Amino acid sequence: MTIEAVNRSIASKKLLLLSHPLYSKVLTIEDLHTFLENHIFAVWDFMSLLKALQSKLTCTTTPWVATQNAQTRYLINEIVLAEESDLTLTGHRLSHFEMYLEAMSACGANTSKIASFLDDVNSTQNIFVSIKKSSLHPNIKAFLDFTFRTIEEGKAHKIAAAFTFGRENLIPGMFTEILKTFQQNFPHTDLRQLVYYFERHIALDADEHGPMAVQIITELCGDDAKKWAEVQAISMEALDRRIGLWNAIEEQLTLKTEMVS
């Protein structure tokens, strides 16, 4: 199997995401807040996928030893550099998660739900306990549980697949659709930090991180048919979980509309 074969097998699910009715339902600033307050969980757990992959492909302990594949070591470190310490709109360094939080606050979205969740994660020291006891939508719980089960299993090629096909390889198209909605529906609202965040992701993922992540998958799988089959399966599940996340946000927006009417 090859990257092209994996892409063909997941094409229909990617199309479902890119044509999801959620995009057309972000019609008010309140709708935008609902989107951001739920999507932030995907922004956050992405960082854990990233760091799990870095820990598998590089040496992050002492005494240091060189890992086997210098190419994958380089690629993941390049991605981490931007994702964990990128330049913001105002020229200071933050992770993309922190940039997203700043953008949420700037446009009036509530960050208390993600903050409370992270406080609980710190308190329990068990991500699965925190997910289970949270008041998050069941689809968001399933999304997070999938991420951390994949990380816990510890197979680098499967973590890379969830990272690449469920996130990096998908983000440019998804975020382009979201930006179009923003620009159409909020022409007089100051969303500069948010637009900067999305545009930064589009540029990085389309031109750099997406191709780098694909190269990592290729390096990790080589000619191993079993690994390629696992990559295909985990990629399909990652997209199913993302569709579930989008469904959860759409459901909340629809519920709000029904309550108003």
Side-chain angles (χ1 to χ4, degrees), residues 241-257:
R241 297 303 180 189
R242 173 68 78 161
I243 291 168
L245 174 65
W246 261 209
N247 289 344
I249 302 174
E250 184 196 6
E251 180 184 311
Q252 292 177 56
L253 292 176
T254 301
L255 186 61
K256 280 188 176 184
T257 301

Side-chain angles (χ1 to χ4, degrees), residues 188-213:
H188 305 298
T189 304
D190 185 1
L191 297 170
R192 286 175 297 173
Q193 290 187 63
L194 198 58
V195 169
Y196 175 82
Y197 170 88
F198 286 142
E199 288 183 339
R200 184 71 179 138
H201 254 291
I202 289 169
L204 278 175
D205 293 343
D207 299 334
E208 298 176 35
H209 292 181
M212 285 179 173

